[in-house]
Amino acid sequence: MGKIALAIHGGCGVMAKLGLSEAEWEAARVDLGHALKAGWAVLSTGGSALDAVQASVVVLEDSPHFNAGYGAALNAAGEHELDASIMDGATLEAGAVTLVRRIRNPVKAARRVMEKGEAVLMGGHAADEFAKVEGLDVVEPDYFTTEKRVKALAAMKAHAAAGTAASASESEKHGTVGAVALDSAGHLAAATSTGGYNNKPVGRIGDTPIVGAGTYARDGLCAVSGTGKGELFIRYAVGHEVASRIGYLGETVEQAASKVIMEDLKPHAIGAGLVAVGADGTITTPYNTDGMFRGWVTPDGEFFVATHDVVFRIE
């Protein structure tokens, strides 16, 4: 069996050091570990990178500790509008959903859109209905709501009223989850899911469902899943840019990802990060905030999760 690799992130926008209790930190790390194990269980038994990234993201969507699925951010109207995408590096096929309100696991709907082959991106009520017809789990919109997100929305509205939104903590703003993988056949895949950012305009669409921005995978180059201010990720086509630097300039995945996050986006003073895996299994996780929830598995099967600069080995 060829080399396999997996990395995940739970967003760089939830990392204010005083924003979570120690119990919340620990619970989030546990769920990161569960997400890693779900994806690794697929890869280590010869499964596809596509199945692995979906399995990891589903766990994160089901956790209340991350801004995707259950526990997602609320928009300015106090409602959830969820986004997700998935991409197969072997074929460049991709699927995405945006502005959905009732799909329990948006990444599953994105996968189904890709498999149907009639569209790459579906949105709003039509996407919700598509998921229902396809037999995916649909829920009432308040399923996604947690007390933490209600408080975050109130905080962002207060910042907006006071004209201090720019100074809000990362935990008050946004967050995303994602996964990237290399399977034993040498194929790459990426998946990303988010609730957007707290107090976002109704109908706003970020980078997560935009193939080439928040999510990108191409065999022989890399797979990328990003987190941060989506408008800039769209403008810089971040995922595709990382892959292009590898393909056209011969940079390593570490060099390409660092250049985009640490240099290209620096003038905009935004929180940003990503996880990426190269065609050789190399993993990189650059971020420019205080920290980023992230995790990875070494080639010999050791599991690690990290928040800030502290790395935890998990069993």
Side-chain angles (χ1 to χ4, degrees), residues 55 63 89 116 153 229 268:
S63 169
K116 294 288 283 189
L153 176 62
K229 183 67 171 176
H268 302 283

Side-chain angles (χ1 to χ4, degrees), residues 8-16 20-21 24-30 32 60 65-67 148 176-178 227 274-275 285 287 289-296 305-308 312:
I8 63 173
H9 71 82
C12 68
V14 292
M15 299 305 298
L20 295 175
S21 68
E24 288 175 314
W25 284 117
E26 176 59 25
R29 289 195 292 265
V30 167
L32 283 171
L60 297 174
H65 302 295
F66 308 101
N67 178 16
K148 176 183 175 182
T176 311
V177 307
T227 173
L274 61 80
V275 293
T285 63
Y287 58 91
T289 55
D290 283 343
M292 180 172 73
F293 279 130
R294 61 204 188 279
W296 60 93
V305 298
T307 53
H308 302 88
F312 302 83

Side-chain angles (χ1 to χ4, degrees), residues 191-272:
T192 314
S193 182
T194 189
Y197 65 86
N198 296 305
N199 203 36
K200 65 181 180 179
V202 175
R204 176 264 187 184
I205 300 171
D207 65 304
T208 293
I210 307 301
V211 173
T215 305
Y216 193 71
R218 186 163 189 160
D219 278 10
L221 297 177
C222 64
V224 179
S225 175
T227 173
K229 183 67 171 176
E231 284 69 20
L232 272 299
F233 275 62
I234 293 171
R235 287 161 55 184
Y236 280 81
V238 165
H240 189 269
E241 180 69 7
V242 172
S244 294
R245 297 190 68 86
I246 294 170
Y248 301 143
L249 298 178
E251 292 183 346
T252 65
V253 65
E254 299 104 316
Q255 291 170 331
S258 179
K259 171 65 167 58
V260 175
I261 295 297
M262 302 302 186
E263 297 182 36
D264 292 356
L265 297 178
K266 184 176 181 179
H268 302 283
I270 63 163

Side-chain angles (χ1 to χ4, degrees), residues 62-280:
D62 286 343
S63 169
H65 302 295
F66 308 101
N67 178 16
Y70 178 47
L74 292 157
N75 66 16
E79 299 171 334
H80 299 284
E81 293 180 309
L82 311 179
D83 303 328
S85 64
I86 193 167
M87 187 168 187
D88 184 348
T91 62
L92 300 189
E93 293 178 327
V97 293
T98 187
L99 304 177
V100 299
R101 298 172 181 266
R102 298 174 59 86
I103 304 171
R104 174 171 176 164
N105 293 109
V107 72
K108 290 185 178 181
R111 174 76 177 271
R112 196 62 59 88
V113 169
M114 184 192 77
E115 291 173 339
K116 294 288 283 189
E118 297 174 347
V120 170
L121 175 61
M122 295 185 68
H125 176 71
D128 283 326
E129 285 300 307
F130 168 81
K132 184 177 180 179
V133 170
E134 289 296 309
L136 300 180
D137 288 342
V138 295
V139 295
E140 293 300 317
D142 61 3
Y143 159 81
F144 303 107
T145 308
T146 61
E147 182 181 359
K148 176 183 175 182
R149 294 303 178 191
V150 172
K151 290 181 177 178
L153 176 62
M156 283 305 298
K157 285 187 175 295
H159 277 298
T164 58
S167 65
S169 70
E170 292 297 326
S171 62
E172 292 172 321
K173 293 178 184 177
H174 49 74
T176 311
V177 307
V180 294
L182 170 71
D183 64 31
S184 59
H187 300 312
L188 293 160
T192 314
S193 182
T194 189
Y197 65 86
N198 296 305
N199 203 36
K200 65 181 180 179
V202 175
R204 176 264 187 184
I205 300 171
D207 65 304
T208 293
I210 307 301
V211 173
T215 305
Y216 193 71
R218 186 163 189 160
D219 278 10
L221 297 177
C222 64
V224 179
S225 175
T227 173
K229 183 67 171 176
E231 284 69 20
L232 272 299
F233 275 62
I234 293 171
R235 287 161 55 184
Y236 280 81
V238 165
H240 189 269
E241 180 69 7
V242 172
S244 294
R245 297 190 68 86
I246 294 170
Y248 301 143
L249 298 178
E251 292 183 346
T252 65
V253 65
E254 299 104 316
Q255 291 170 331
S258 179
K259 171 65 167 58
V260 175
I261 295 297
M262 302 302 186
E263 297 182 36
D264 292 356
L265 297 178
K266 184 176 181 179
H268 302 283
I270 63 163
L274 61 80
V275 293
V277 60
D280 63 353

Side-chain angles (χ1 to χ4, degrees), residues 20-73:
L20 295 175
S21 68
E22 185 53 42
E24 288 175 314
W25 284 117
E26 176 59 25
R29 289 195 292 265
V30 167
D31 283 351
L32 283 171
H34 289 160
L36 279 176
K37 290 175 181 178
W40 194 253
V42 174
L43 294 174
S44 62
T45 55
S48 71
L50 201 63
D51 287 341
V53 295
Q54 177 177 310
S56 289
V57 170
V58 164
V59 173
L60 297 174
E61 288 179 335
D62 286 343
S63 169
H65 302 295
F66 308 101
N67 178 16
Y70 178 47

